[in-house]
Amino acid sequence: MIYITKKMYKKIEHFSNNFSLLKGVNSFINTNNLVNEYPSEKDVLGSLKAAGEIHKEVRRFLQPYLKPGIKLIEIAELIEFKTEELTNKMSNSKPINKGIGFPVGISINECAAHFHPKPNSTEIIKQDDVIKIDFGVEVNEWIIDSAFTVCFDSKYDKLLEAVKDATYTGINNIGVDVSICEWGAQIQEVMESYEINLGNKIYPIKTIHNLGGHNITQGIIHGGMFLPAVDLKGYMSPNYRFTEGVYAVETFGSTGINNVSEIGDCTLCRLNPLHDQILKSKLTTECNQLLNQIQNKFKTLPFTDRYIEVFNINNYKSHLKTLSDNNLIHSYPPLCVNKGAYTAQYEHTIYISDGKKIVFSQGDDY
Ligand code: CO
Ligand code: CO
């Protein structure tokens, strides 16, 4: 999503031996809709369709493992394992980072987005949690960005229902020439028609104002447009309209405050493709080494500390900070509302043109 404000990891064989969950994984693949051959580079819609089918299959595979007690790292590894496996099933496959469009966001409760566990995290999912799972699949540098919310207690159902309804309002109403401002207002109206009873107290469900959808361009997950899930009349021209393109439609609901801020340590980054070449000459050897590795391994796709750790570069964290401080990479810290509140998210990647709408990531689950 867009937030507005003022050792490459181990080989699968090694991985399977060291990862208890993968020993018992159900490797059944529903191949009906999966694409057999890697689409040609020029085939934009074919690339997105292939990535969308993989996204759906990874979700189907993941569902049974999403239980209290699973480690966040295990969720990430399961998604990465399945994404790589399905990507490699396509003949002539040439993924950038094994088909991983971006590292999964596993954001819990008041945290709405951009949380990814640190390499040695032991954090687990708990019975009472509300978890947003947001991951990406890449084909020919086209990324499917899609997210859903999981919980184990039906007391949160209204929150999930409100956000799903809001996201589908956005999907149903989007089209070429639609005013983005009015579109956002319609989403907010739907989301905020809901309320939730938690612990015998009624909470209105609010749209998170400073999180929203975005356009997607080749290789760039956030193409620069902000798609509000609120009424931005007065801030956004009513004549700012959708044009043909690829969009991630996503909305976030909160039982607490209606805006997020950056909280906690950042583990998600991506290369800034417009970075200043002169700056590079002023960096230390290690910093340049790290920047080159990032460029070679991920191009402009987002990455996380877990993927960098295996490069075996000493003090990579401080070099990442230098790169970020110099705007050579973008950082995406966790985004949270107030503690004690709950947030939910649903997201799909879609394409619109005159009279045409394709929702690539829509499946039986959401
Ligand atoms: Co997004
Ligand atoms: Co997303």
Side-chain angles (χ1 to χ4, degrees), residues 199-215:
N200 281 325
K201 202 175 162 216
I202 305 286
Y203 297 85
I205 293 170
K206 296 173 193 156
T207 294
I208 297 183
H209 286 212
N210 57 346
L211 285 180
H214 47 95
N215 62 327

Side-chain angles (χ1 to χ4, degrees), residues 1 102 134-135 145-147 214 250 345 347:
M1 98 292 325
F102 55 85
D134 188 346
F135 70 96
D145 178 5
S146 180
H214 47 95
E250 60 190 304
Q345 173 200 19
E347 175 178 27

